[in-house]
């Protein structure tokens, strides 16, 4: 039987690939089954879903945060931080209006998407952000008044960029997608989302 890849693709895109450690032969059988039964379509490829990088391997091996060796988690975070690419022109802040649209959009990385069409960030699925949007998830902390509370120091700006670019740089096996690292959002989109969080004119930072 053939299944669409969209659900699996969403799971992979949004960083939820951690599975309980499986006995080696059981894991191999599962892989063989997946390779045989799923097919690539559009941006959702079998390889993209099944091939784990080092970080995903570690998170699959230790799905329970309290059983994950602290040293390994710290090493993973340091390695992920090294993979962050900061903006090539030194400008971190784009337009909050565009950032709001990106935060609202849950489109992307699915078998039904046209290759090359821009992805959304789906931020509201996990975060409260602006006050006007009352439909949001709470897997992640509220980001309402993020810039007002944190300010715009170089440290905060760089931390926020790195968090968006590669969430695991600060939190091993984070549920938050690695937006830049995984090519979900491009540099301009990241700048626009930065503006939504940090620009004093953004509704996020108004009362
Ligand atoms: C699948 C859920 C999920 C999605 C989607 C998601 N996040 Fe997160 N985010 C989290 C979780 C969980 C945390 C807290 C744990 C951690 O740091 O990983 C977090 C933490 C953060 C932080 C750090 C907050 C702090 O107090 O330092 C920022 C900033 C952030 N997210 C912004 C965003 C933005 C902007 C988007 C959309 C482009 C987004 N997140 C999408 C789950 C998500």
């Amino acid at each position: 039987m053939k299944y669409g890849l969209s659900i699996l693709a969403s799971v992979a895109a949004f960083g939820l690939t951690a599975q309980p450690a499986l006995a080696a032969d059981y894991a191999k059988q599962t892989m063989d089954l997946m390779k045989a039964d799923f097919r690539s379509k559009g941006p959702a490829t079998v390889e993209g879903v099944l091939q784990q990088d080092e970080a995903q391997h570690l998170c699959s091996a230790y799905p329970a945060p309290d059983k994950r060796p602290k040293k390994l988690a710290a090493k993973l975070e340091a390695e992920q931080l090294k993979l962050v690419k900061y903006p090539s022109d030194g400008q971190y802040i784009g337009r909050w209006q565009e950032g709001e649209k990106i935060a609202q959009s849950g489109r992307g990385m699915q078998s039904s998407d046209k290759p090359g069409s821009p992805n959304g960030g789906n931020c509201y699925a996990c975060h409260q952000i602006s006050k006007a949007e009352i439909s949001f998830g709470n897997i992640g902390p509220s980001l309402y008044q993020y810039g007002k509370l944190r300010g715009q120091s170089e440290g905060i700006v760089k931390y926020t960029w790195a968090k968006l670019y590669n969430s695991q740089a600060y939190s091993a096996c984070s549920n938050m997608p690695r937006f830049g690292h995984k090519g979900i959002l491009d540099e301009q989109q990241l700048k626009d989302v930065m503006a939504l969080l940090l620009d004093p004119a953004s509704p996020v930072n108004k009362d």
Side-chain angles (χ1 to χ4, degrees):
M1 193 189 270
K2 301 274 180 201
Y3 298 91
L5 265 173
S6 57
I7 294 175
L8 268 178
S10 325
V11 167
F14 292 111
L16 302 172
T17 43
Q19 298 165 355
L22 300 169
D25 58 337
Y26 188 25
K28 189 183 172 306
Q29 281 176 31
T30 308
M31 274 303 207
D32 290 346
L33 184 84
M34 304 276 256
K35 280 183 194 151
D37 275 1
F38 289 94
R39 67 200 145 79
S40 300
K41 187 166 178 262
T45 62
V46 175
E47 300 72 40
V49 172
L50 296 183
Q51 272 169 17
Q52 293 191 321
D53 66 15
E54 236 177 278
Q56 290 166 322
H57 268 302
L58 180 89
C59 303
S60 294
Y62 301 100
D66 53 333
K67 302 232 166 72
R68 195 176 299 140
K70 284 208 170 60
K71 262 195 182 164
L72 282 182
K75 188 166 166 271
L76 186 152
E77 287 168 4
E79 280 164 4
Q80 296 294 303
L81 186 59
K82 278 194 220 140
L83 298 173
V84 174
K85 290 198 188 84
Y86 295 91
S88 40
D89 58 1
Q91 295 292 326
Y92 286 82
I93 308 291
R95 297 185 62 228
W96 65 261
Q97 293 90 338
E98 293 306 312
E100 172 66 14
K101 286 184 211 156
I102 294 162
Q104 289 277 358
S105 167
R107 284 212 66 95
M109 315 293 279
Q110 300 192 350
S111 55
S112 54
D113 290 326
K114 267 197 218 134
S117 55
N119 299 316
N122 210 16
C123 317
Y124 281 102
C126 300
H127 295 282
Q128 177 182 34
I129 311 181
S130 70
K131 209 179 179 183
E133 177 55 80
I134 55 167
S135 170
F136 53 84
N138 61 2
I139 295 176
S142 172
L143 302 174
Y144 176 55
Q145 303 220 311
Y146 184 87
K148 198 174 174 186
L149 296 169
R150 309 272 179 118
Q152 284 220 356
S153 66
E154 196 191 338
I156 286 297
V157 170
K158 282 198 160 165
Y159 159 74
T160 309
W161 180 272
K163 181 75 198 170
L164 296 178
Y165 195 95
N166 188 339
S167 58
Q168 298 211 30
Y170 293 104
S171 174
C173 307
S174 170
N175 281 338
M176 179 165 147
R178 294 180 286 172
F179 290 106
H181 179 65
K182 282 292 192 182
I184 300 167
L185 299 180
D186 64 24
E187 194 177 275
Q188 185 57 50
Q189 288 179 304
L190 288 171
K191 290 180 182 187
D192 292 338
V193 173
M194 288 284 286
L196 179 68
L197 297 179
L198 289 167
D199 188 337
S202 162
V204 169
N205 298 316
K206 305 273 186 209
D207 292 325

